[in-house]
Structures are given as C-alpha cells and as structure tokens.
Amino acid sequence: MASLIDLANPTRFMRYSAVLLPWLAGLSAVSLVVGFYLAWFVAPADYQQGETIRIMFVHVPAAWLAMMFYTMMTLSSLGTLVWRHPLADVAQKTAAPIGAAFALICLLTGAFWGKPMWGTYWVWDARLTSMLVLLLIYLGIMALWRTLDEPSQAGRAVAILTLVGFVNVPIIKFSVDWWNTLHQPASVLRLDGPTIHASMLWPLLILAVGFTLMALVLHLVSMRAEIMRRRVRTLTILEAERLDRLAAEGAPA
Amino acid sequence: MTPFSFPSLVLAADNLACRRGGRLIFADLSFRLAPGEAIALTGRNGAGKSSLLAMLCGRLRPEAGSIRVEGAADVAVVELSHVVGHRDGLKTALTAQENLVFAQALLGDAALSPVEALAKVGLPHVAALPVGYLSAGQRRRVALARLLVARRPFWLLDEPMAALDVAAQAMLSGLMREHLAQGGAILAATHGPLGLDGVREVRIGP
Amino acid sequence: MTSAFLAILKRDLALASRAGGGGELALVFFLTIVVLVPFALGPDLNLLSRIGPAILWLGALLSMLIGLDRLFQGDEEDGSLDLIRASVLPLELAVLAKGLAHWLTTGLPLALAAPLLGLLVALPGEAMLPVAATLLVGTPALSFIGAGAAALTAGLRRGGLILPVLVAPLTVPVLIFGVSAANAALGGTIPFATPFLILCALSLAAIVVGTLAAAAALRHSA
C-alpha cells in the first residue's frame, strides 16, 4: 500500500512541470487578454443575434475543452490499464473536475444565450443535451473516485468506467440527435453556425488557445497537488508505523 | 486528590438461556461479577460467548433467565458498560481523536481526554490521522483507548487480545489491572490468558 | 444528553462531507432523473412545464432512497451501533439525530437545487418557490420513513435491494400532497395552503413514527 516506489517516478514530473508552469500561465494570460479584447471591442455584433453572440466566445471553447478533456482522460485510462504508468491515474483523476467545470460553463453560457434567443433558459437542443449527458458522465466518474479511497484500486475501476463512457459518447450523441429530430425540426438558430466571419473566427481561435492553455495550467497544478497529497498520505502512514516501532522498542512494558 | 473508585455494583446473571436460529446454544448459565473481579469467558467457537455479550448489551433477548445490576435499580447493564467487540466501532474517515471525542460525548462521565487516552495506549502520534490509515493493531488500540475516555464500571470485552502484539497485550493487562484496582469489573470472552492474577473462569458449553 | 445528540449529528455531517461520504450522490442522481424524463417524453417544453412539479418530486423521492440503506448499515458493520446502544442517549434520540443529519445532507440540498433543475423542465418562475417549499417540508417525511425501513434492514447484507421496495409504498401520501401543493401554486381550484399543511402534518407524523419504529428495530436487531 505505502511504498517508496510510488514516490520515485513522479519526481521528474514535478521538476519539469514546475519549470513549465509559469510559461504556460503567462502565455495563457496573454492570449486570453488579446482574445477577449478582440471579442469585446473588435468583433462586430451579429446582425441577427446582436450582442449576445459574444457569449459564443466562451461557450464554444468550453464545449471543445469539455470534450478534449474527456478524450485525454480516455488516453490516461489506457495509460493506467495498458502501460500502468504511475502518472496516468493522477492525470485522469485531476482532469475530471476540470472537464466537468468546462461542461458546466458550456451549459451555463448556453442557458444565458438561450434566454434572449429562445425566451427560455433551457431547450432540449441536441447539442446542449449531449453536453448535459457528458456532464453526468463526468459527475459519475468523480463520484467513483470519491467512493474508492485506495488510489491504485480506484484508478483501475475509474479507468474502465472512463473507457466505457468513451465508447458510449458517440452512441449517446447519435441517439440524442435521433431523439431530437424525432420530436422537433432542427432549430434555425444555432449557437455555433457553420459559417463564421473572419472577424469573429480570429478572436474565437485565440480565445480557444487561451482557454486550452489555462485548462492545461489548471490540470498541471492539480496533478501536482494530487501527487503531493499522495506523498503526504504515504509518508504519514510510514511515519505512524515508524513511531510505533520506536515506541515498542523504547518502552518494553 | 483521593484515588477514584467506582460505586459498589454487582452484575448478576441468573439461569440464562440462549436460543439462536431455533437451536438452544446454552442454558442455565449463572454468574456474579463483583467489583474488582475479572471473569474470563471461555468455550469453543460457537459456544455462545458473543451471544452472551450481546445479551448483556441488550442487543439479544435471553430465552430464559435474567440479567440485572445489584446496587443500581432500573439501569440497563449496557449503560454502565464499555463494550469492545471484535468490530472496532471506529469510523475510518474520521481521525483517531475525532472518533474518541465522539465516543466520549456518547458515553458520558468523561475521564481522560482523547489525547491522554491515546498516549496511554502508546499512540500519541496518530491522534490527527484518519483511522483508515492505521494498521489493524493500531485500530484495536484506538478502540481500547475508548475504555479510558469515559468512566464505566463494567468492561465487556470480546477477544480483547486479538490483533495485539506482545507489548500491546502487556499494556492492556496494565489498563485492566488499574480498572480492577478502582473497583471496576471485567468480563472478557477470550481464548488466551488475560495477563491478570485471580481471573475467574466461566466456561460455556462442554 | 444534548452533547451526545449533537455529537451524533456532527459526526454524521462530517462523514457525509468527507471523501466517500456520498453526500453529493443524491444530488447527482436527482439531476440524472430530471435529465432522463425528457428523453422518455420528448423535449416538448409545454408538456414538461405542465408536469414539471411531478418530475421534480419523483426525482427527489427516488434520490432520497439512494444511500438510505447505509443510514444504519455502516454503523452496524463497523460496530459503531454498539457504541450508540451503550450511550446515555435514548435510542430514539440517536435515531432522531441520524435522521436529521440524513435530511440535512440529502433532503435540504435537493430542495435547494430543485428550482435550478426546474429550469431544465421549463418550470414557470412563479412555481419555483412553491416547489422548493414543498420539497423542504416534504423531504423530512422521506428521511424518517426511510430511517424506519433502514433500521429494519441494517443487519442484512442485501438490505440495499429490499429497502426501496419497503419504502416506496409508504411514501405515496407524501408524493400525492407534495405534487398537489406544488401544482396548486401553478393555479387551479385548490388553494396552496390545503395540501401544503397536510404535507407538513405528514412530515411531523413521519418524524415521530419513523423514529420510534427505527429505535424499536435497532434495539434487538442482531
């Protein structure tokens, strides 16, 4: 359970990530500032949707990141199950809350956009609904992590769940589309239509890069915190055992 | 400060019989547990040692016979007793200290503080650790520390020496001697020796 | 005695908030049910809005059953229940403390989250407060009816399977008056107060009956 080998490999990760973090954070801050400036002051308001179109600049990157983090969790799960890499389950565990947060941001911004557009905070639009199901899968994974407290055992269980979820995501997407078209004609207004003007595309891309970098920074920081947390746990258990041995040797009653 | 001593209470069991799953496990069991006395409850596995403890705790109704406390009318035995069974009664998500604070609040009549009690069972360094981090022997000792955080005249113990190493067994024997000297009484279901002098043996079954 | 009562309450709240406590699972399950219903009914907001209070109430009711089997089972398995039995506190008050902690960690969050989930089923704005209010006064009944059944199944290894079967029929009156109070707030012939006050009465009765039943079941369980 508590072995020193657990501490060995992640050490290199801690060193490299400490060097990398400030650069990533700086880069992320710069691209977010530039992106938001362009999105707010340069990009024009939409002739149909007005100023509310600017919500898209947060909504779309959040949707991408929610899916990207799930893909990354799937790769990490393979890392846990196939290569048994010691960092894989750390990466998987810490990615879940971040991915869930972006899914939530995507849903909330969708709701704020929906109120003026549709007159209601929520419609069961196929894309939004798929994102809501993705959020539920994220929450399930987080719940499983919280329920199993032995990291190595929990890592395997969660990895299997993540893979099952990944296989399911396209099926869910297909089913939700089917369900949605069955009940209502495809909505005319799409939050992210296929045609997009260059004056909007650039800020969107820059913001997407900025948000991705920010997500990576958050992920690295929380991976470091998780590694630290496991070290503290391991060391505490070892220390309690050592003090016990000392007490037993020192005072034979 | 005068040394503490318990009021003079006698735990008396008369003609107890136990039936579980339709089978009569034991019958006509009588004993008296007086202040300063220790009883070792012996018998092969399944003879009904744990069932007898469950009866004393009020968890199981005797088929026949009676259990009462002489010297304290209308008080259930369990309210005057510490019970340490083979399950430790600890929450793994809480720290050792939190577990003992909880036990102290429940049992009332506080004696040692949780930290002092942990020091006395040789575990001062685990107070802030979640019990889930501790080894089986350490958990057992935290459970035994419960005996020290509240004053109760009867200690009802189920295999108290199990999971303890030699040093911890000696420590427990010491605690039991102190308890007997204060006028307390002990009833322990056990396979091995308790490390006490003058233990009376009550054998269940053949 | 007060300190023993508070100690149980405090411990159960702490356990629910620690890792693995499962305090938040009921909320996730609530969300899941509210999401599943439109998949069965179709995304017609007018329809969903009309049956919104019913969806929320059913979702909350089923979510309350999640983890209910652990209410006493965990304490029975690790021996904490023996400690509680040995307490100076009457078993009834111990059950009351545990039921209260269960409600604080499941019923209360569910009631508070209900208006938010109401957005998903296009619940009209004026119905949000009444729905939350009915859940607030109705969920204690579910906690304590559940506590009675959970005490009966505490010693069973497969208690989690049998528990919903035991509890669900007993919750029928709560569901009826909870939903009709919430619907009354949306307009209709019955005034809101009538079913709402009956719901309050059901909760108070459930607290008393559930507590007594659970204590009786725990007293001689092993």
Side-chain angles (χ1 to χ4, degrees), chain B residues 23-143:
Chain B
R23 199 162 57 89
L24 197 65
I25 295 187
F26 60 78
D28 285 331
L29 182 72
S30 302
F31 61 85
R32 284 167 58 83
L33 185 61
E37 267 193 325
I39 289 182
L41 204 57
T42 59
R44 55 181 172 73
N45 284 334
K49 298 192 292 271
S50 297
S51 297
L52 177 63
L53 285 175
M55 274 182 198
L56 294 175
C57 300
R59 209 149 42 90
L60 196 66
R61 226 188 286 267
E63 173 82 3
S66 71
I67 299 167
R68 62 184 191 284
V69 180
E70 290 170 4
D74 292 334
V75 181
V77 177
V78 71
E79 282 178 40
L80 296 168
S81 308
H82 272 300
V83 183
V84 180
H86 35 234
R87 292 168 302 187
D88 290 326
L90 302 170
K91 287 287 174 199
T92 49
L94 301 182
T95 67
Q97 190 175 358
E98 283 170 326
N99 268 298
L100 289 176
V101 167
F102 173 68
Q104 192 166 43
L106 272 193
L107 296 171
D109 209 355
L112 296 184
S113 77
V115 176
E116 289 167 337
L118 281 173
K120 202 141 182 204
V121 297
L123 291 172
H125 46 280
V126 306
L129 286 190
V131 168
Y133 286 13
L134 303 181
S135 68
Q138 288 173 325
R139 286 183 203 195
R140 192 77 192 155
R141 281 189 280 159
V142 176

Side-chain angles (χ1 to χ4, degrees), chain B residues 20 58-61 78-79 81 83 87-91 93-95 98 102-103 105-107 146 152, chain C residues 3-4 7-8 11 15 18 74-80 82-88 219-222:
Chain B
R20 303 207 72 171
R59 209 149 42 90
L60 196 66
R61 226 188 286 267
V78 71
E79 282 178 40
S81 308
V83 183
R87 292 168 302 187
D88 290 326
L90 302 170
K91 287 287 174 199
L94 301 182
T95 67
E98 283 170 326
F102 173 68
L106 272 193
L107 296 171
R146 222 164 44 215
R152 296 208 157 185
Chain C
S3 71
I8 295 179
R11 184 199 66 155
L15 286 174
R18 299 279 156 97
D75 284 342
E76 176 68 35
E77 277 166 10
D78 64 19
S80 302
D82 283 338
L83 187 60
I84 291 173
R85 285 193 186 101
S87 158
V88 287
R219 195 157 278 133
H220 298 288
S221 72

